[in-house]
């Protein structure tokens, strides 16, 4: 006869609704640390700094690399360096605290559980951010994880990494730089006009997507979503109501101001160069 007592295998639900926002400075710092990594170092790990927003979202604003060495069964971190860097950062930004750690590579790798255990002593429920610095297939694989404890009854067994929603907070200028990181070779950085052209093309593509979504909802091909509808309405309401003539005048005035600044900057460079040559000639004579 089977016993009525059963042992239940369960996960800890503490991180079920956790999400994170990552600012572009974090991604740029991680890529820079990876480029400057020591020889024969396969991946870079480091500390994530930020804060926890009132809604529970982890806001990741800064980071720094931590020297380490790892093998198949152990990981050694330079804890003194980690604490010194944390102290230096908090002198500048005292509101930024440890919210987790990062590593380069695709997804969770060996030794991550040991590092997660260390950062669990530094902060409660740390997040683990992975950045694929190789940008495989032309896409930046940036993922966030938290550890979920697996227990057998009251006996803890292990920790499992669970992916959480991740939002990259970028303005348009930052996204242009982020897109440049995806390309393996770059002939030259885009100028202002090329950057504006790429931004306008992306804006037109987004407008087409929104227009198609609205048509599908009106025709009944997609279910309506009140939250999405209010967001679209609020976005459209922020656009100023200008006539085509007033809009053209506004753009032309802004363009003329930009050209005037470029002319003044070029004139200043020419004057400084001319003054330097006159000074050199006077010293020779």
């Amino acid at each position: 006869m089977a016993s009525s007592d059963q042992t239940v295998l369960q996960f800890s639900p503490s991180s079920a609704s956790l999400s994170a926002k990552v600012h572009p400075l974090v991604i740029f710092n991680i890529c820079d640390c990876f480029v400057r990594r020591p020889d024969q170092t396969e991946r870079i790990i480091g500390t994530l700094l930020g804060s926890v927003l009132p809604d529970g979202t982890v806001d990741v604003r800064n980071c720094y690399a931590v020297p380490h060495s790892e093998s198949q069964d152990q990981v050694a971190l330079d804890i003194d360096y980690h604490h010194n860097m944390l102290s230096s950062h908090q002198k500048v930004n005292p509101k930024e605290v440890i919210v987790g750690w990062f590593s380069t590579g695709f997804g969770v790798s060996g030794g991550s559980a040991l590092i997660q255990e260390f950062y669990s002593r530094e902060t409660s429920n740390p997040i683990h951010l992975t950045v694929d610095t190789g940008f495989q297939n032309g896409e930046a694989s940036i993922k966030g994880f938290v550890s979920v404890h697996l227990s057998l009854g009251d006996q803890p067994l292990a920790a499992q990494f669970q992916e959480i929603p991740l939002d990259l907070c970028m303005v348009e200028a930052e996204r242009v730089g982020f897109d440049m990181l995806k390309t393996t070779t770059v002939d030259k950085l885009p100028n202002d006009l090329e950057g504006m052209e790429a931004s306008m093309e992306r804006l037109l593509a987004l407008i087409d997507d929104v227009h198609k979504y609205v048509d599908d909802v009106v025709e009944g091909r997609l279910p309506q979503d009140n939250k999405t509808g209010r967001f679209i309405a609020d976005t459209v309401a922020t656009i100023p109501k200008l006539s085509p003539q007033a809009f053209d005048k506004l753009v032309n005035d802004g363009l003329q101001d930009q050209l005037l600044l470029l002319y003044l900057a070029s004139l200043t460079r020419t004057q400084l160069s001319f003054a330097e040559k006159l000074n050199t000639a006077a010293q020779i004579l």
Side-chain angles (χ1 to χ4, degrees):
M1 183 176 179
S3 174
S4 59
D5 295 335
Q6 295 181 351
T7 303
V8 180
L9 187 68
Q10 58 185 1
F11 290 97
S12 172
S14 60
S15 59
S17 60
L18 189 65
S19 62
K21 296 169 58 178
V22 180
H23 293 260
L25 175 63
V26 177
I27 306 301
F28 296 149
N29 283 345
I30 294 175
C31 292
D32 181 67
C33 292
F34 181 78
V35 172
R36 301 171 185 269
R37 70 189 187 280
D39 295 337
Q40 300 178 351
T41 300
E42 295 182 357
R43 69 169 180 165
I44 298 296
I45 67 173
T47 303
L48 298 176
L49 300 176
S51 60
V52 180
L53 301 180
D55 60 353
T57 302
V58 179
D59 188 26
V60 185
R61 292 183 171 273
N62 208 340
C63 68
Y64 59 86
V66 177
H68 78 290
S69 61
E70 58 182 321
S71 59
Q72 295 181 352
D73 56 351
Q74 63 180 1
V75 178
L77 295 176
D78 191 340
I79 299 179
D80 292 336
Y81 179 88
H82 160 67
H83 288 156
N84 291 334
M85 287 294 294
L86 176 62
S87 176
S88 299
H89 275 78
Q90 289 187 332
K91 289 180 180 178
V92 180
N93 297 307
K95 294 184 179 180
E96 291 185 353
V97 297
I98 298 176
V99 294
W101 64 285
F102 71 85
S103 68
T104 58
F106 190 81
V108 179
S109 58
S112 296
L114 298 175
I115 305 174
Q116 181 76 7
E117 181 180 356
F118 166 75
Y119 279 95
S120 296
R121 298 192 295 266
E122 298 287 310
T123 183
S124 60
N125 200 16
I127 67 171
H128 173 30
L129 183 71
T130 62
V131 179
D132 180 19
T133 50
F135 290 89
Q136 300 176 7
N137 301 324
E139 296 181 357
S141 177
I142 303 174
K143 298 181 179 180
F145 300 89
V146 293
S147 61
V148 181
H149 296 286
L150 175 65
S151 60
L152 183 62
D154 296 333
Q155 181 67 28
L157 296 179
Q160 182 183 24
F161 284 96
Q162 179 180 0
E163 188 172 354
I164 62 174
L166 196 67
D167 183 21
L168 296 179
C169 304
M170 298 186 185
V171 298
E172 191 59 37
E174 294 168 336
R175 186 169 295 277
V176 171
F178 181 74
D179 292 339
M180 294 296 296
L181 290 176
K182 298 181 182 180
T183 57
T184 55
T185 57
V186 178
D187 295 333
K188 66 181 183 67
L189 294 176
N191 55 35
D192 294 340
L193 184 59
E194 293 172 344
M196 180 180 294
E197 181 180 2
S199 300
M200 294 302 297
E201 291 177 353
R202 187 178 296 108
L203 177 60
L204 290 175
L206 292 175
I207 293 176
D208 290 338
D209 292 340
V210 173
H211 188 271
K212 182 177 181 301
Y213 171 78
V214 173
D215 286 343
D216 291 340
V217 172
V218 172
E219 297 295 333
R221 291 187 292 268
L222 289 176
Q224 63 180 1
D225 186 354
N226 293 333
K227 182 178 180 180
T228 304
R230 284 193 295 268
F231 182 79
I232 295 176
D234 292 340
T235 303
V236 174
T238 59
I239 301 175
K241 296 181 179 180
L242 297 175
S243 64
Q245 295 79 10
F247 182 77
D248 289 341
K249 183 178 184 302
L250 181 64
V251 173
N252 290 331
D253 291 343
L255 181 60
Q256 291 177 3
D257 292 340
Q258 291 290 337
L259 293 176
L260 178 60
L261 290 176
L262 291 176
Y263 173 75
L264 292 176
S266 177
L267 185 64
T268 303
R269 286 195 299 269
T270 302
Q271 183 177 1
L272 291 175
S273 177
F274 185 67
E276 182 180 0
K277 291 182 178 180
L278 288 178
N279 187 28
T280 303
Q283 291 178 356
I284 294 176
L285 297 176

